[in-house]
Amino acid sequence: MNTLFMHCRPGFEGEVCAEISEHAAQLGVAGYAKGKAQSASAEFVCSEPGAAERLMLELRFDKLIFPRQWARGEFIELPETDRISVLLEHLAALPVAGSLWLEVLDTNDGKELSTFCRKFEGPLRKALEKAGRLVEDAQRPRLLLSFISGRRVFVGLAEADNSALWPMGIPRLKFPREAPSRSTLKLEEAWHQFIPRDQWEERLQDDMTGVDLGASPGGWTYQLVKRGMLVTAIDNGPMAESLMDTGLVQHLMADGFTWKPKHTVDWMVCDIVEKPARSAALIETWLGEGLCREAVVNLKLPMKQRYAEVRRLLDRIEAGFKERKIRVSIACKQLYHDREEVTCHLRRLDLKPRNTRG
């Protein structure tokens, strides 16, 4: 149980390795990271017994940017038949699990394995429960089985409250037919990732106001309108007529990097294709000057040194807020629906929500 196994977007294995290596060094956990290109996974192999568990206990998963899922454990080989017996034998030395997830990698091979996992999960679950190795209990660690093939699996554990919200870190969101673009799923996933579900009614109210910078054709505006907000859409391009017909959208043909509201709005969202440093400066301005209470902004990534660039920009944003002496919570994640980008969520902690339109 001394290897940390992580899922990620294919092509970002190097970013996962760089990120986990930095955290491990800061925590004094010796080991090395490795990840095969386009494998959609990476590993951090710890040098000392128990180090993988310590790393997970001292790190919050939701603070990591590029890993989609993680678990501590080891790889085991399975026979073509009677896989369950081999798994039960291996699990006898591990703590009793409180839940079970069968996972595959986000690759073509992984997708082919998903059918096997669906058929295998039922018999495995029954066998685990019968053997006393699985007892539904949120306080117990989750058993995560990441199948690399039908004969090789990473058997891992993770705390249910300190791992991905969904198996493989992939939410099952349905594209709304009435939305003008598939980018709408980015913002919907951000709501789920960054805002606890029991706070949606408080923080995504229908009497709030929002601004969508770079809005055309309205994929992100759609999510704000869906929550009943009054939205100002800023873009020189056209907006979907279906959104304009709601009466909740004001479309202003202006530059999203220079336009500012006259009054503080509840939400600012932005998915403009621009250099990440410029988008980071936009974040500093909107939150720093109190133009909005919360924001979701995508940072487009450079071709190289992507983790280093994201870390540099986040540090710069945080330093800017400290200099202004304002309290802002900052979260950043490469979401499943992101591509060459990461999504940032920011919230002014010293600005109370405005509960009336005006």
Side-chain angles (χ1 to χ4, degrees), residues 23-164:
H23 284 293
Q26 292 172 349
L27 294 170
V29 176
Y32 63 92
K34 61 178 182 178
K36 182 180 178 182
Q38 300 299 322
S39 67
S41 65
E43 303 166 40
F44 188 82
V45 182
C46 300
S47 303
E48 301 174 0
E53 182 175 10
R54 181 165 74 85
L55 192 57
M56 294 182 75
L57 290 176
E58 296 192 30
L59 273 178
R60 288 298 305 172
F61 178 76
D62 57 13
K63 298 299 182 183
L64 299 176
I65 300 169
F66 289 100
R68 286 183 182 171
Q69 176 65 290
W70 68 353
R72 59 185 179 274
E74 59 184 334
F75 289 97
I76 67 170
E77 304 300 322
L78 299 174
E80 290 186 14
T81 59
D82 202 15
R83 298 180 178 91
I84 290 178
S85 294
V86 175
L87 283 169
L88 286 175
E89 182 179 352
H90 181 81
L91 294 171
L94 302 183
V96 174
S99 56
L100 169 68
W101 283 2
L102 272 62
E103 303 185 317
V104 296
L105 302 179
D106 188 16
T107 63
N108 289 333
D109 289 342
K111 292 172 184 176
E112 291 179 1
L113 275 171
S114 61
T115 300
F116 159 76
C117 288
R118 285 196 298 270
K119 293 181 178 180
F120 186 56
E121 181 177 357
L124 175 61
R125 185 180 295 276
K126 290 182 180 178
L128 291 173
E129 291 173 346
K130 183 177 180 180
R133 307 310 307 170
L134 178 63
V135 179
E136 293 297 326
D137 182 353
Q139 301 304 312
R140 295 180 181 272
R142 175 172 289 142
L143 176 59
L144 300 169
L145 302 182
S146 294
F147 282 86
I148 310 304
S149 70
R151 300 188 62 178
R152 191 164 193 257
V153 60
F154 185 86
V155 180
L157 297 174
E159 281 60 47
D161 63 351
N162 193 29
S163 55

Side-chain angles (χ1 to χ4, degrees), residues 148-187:
I148 310 304
S149 70
R151 300 188 62 178
R152 191 164 193 257
V153 60
F154 185 86
V155 180
L157 297 174
E159 281 60 47
D161 63 351
N162 193 29
S163 55
L165 298 173
W166 313 277
M168 296 96 73
I170 299 177
R172 304 300 177 186
L173 303 179
K174 185 178 180 180
F175 173 64
R177 291 183 179 179
E178 63 274 21
S181 70
R182 292 198 65 83
S183 70
T184 192
L185 295 176
K186 295 182 188 179
L187 187 54

Side-chain angles (χ1 to χ4, degrees), residues 274-300:
E274 184 54 86
K275 292 181 179 180
R278 195 177 185 201
S279 296
L282 185 72
I283 291 172
E284 286 189 61
T285 298
W286 274 75
L287 276 295
E289 296 182 6
L291 302 179
C292 65
R293 293 174 172 82
E294 294 196 56
V296 172
V297 179
N298 271 3
L299 299 179
K300 310 303 176 180

Side-chain angles (χ1 to χ4, degrees), residues 219-263:
W220 284 32
T221 295
Y222 170 83
Q223 290 296 328
L224 299 174
V225 168
K226 186 178 178 181
R227 300 300 302 175
M229 297 186 198
L230 284 175
V231 184
T232 303
I234 308 298
D235 202 303
N236 286 314
M239 294 294 292
E241 287 297 326
S242 58
L243 289 174
M244 302 308 300
D245 289 344
T246 65
L248 295 176
V249 181
Q250 179 186 23
H251 179 203
L252 300 180
M253 301 185 73
D255 183 347
F257 282 96
T258 58
W259 183 88
K260 294 182 180 180
K262 295 180 180 179
H263 306 286

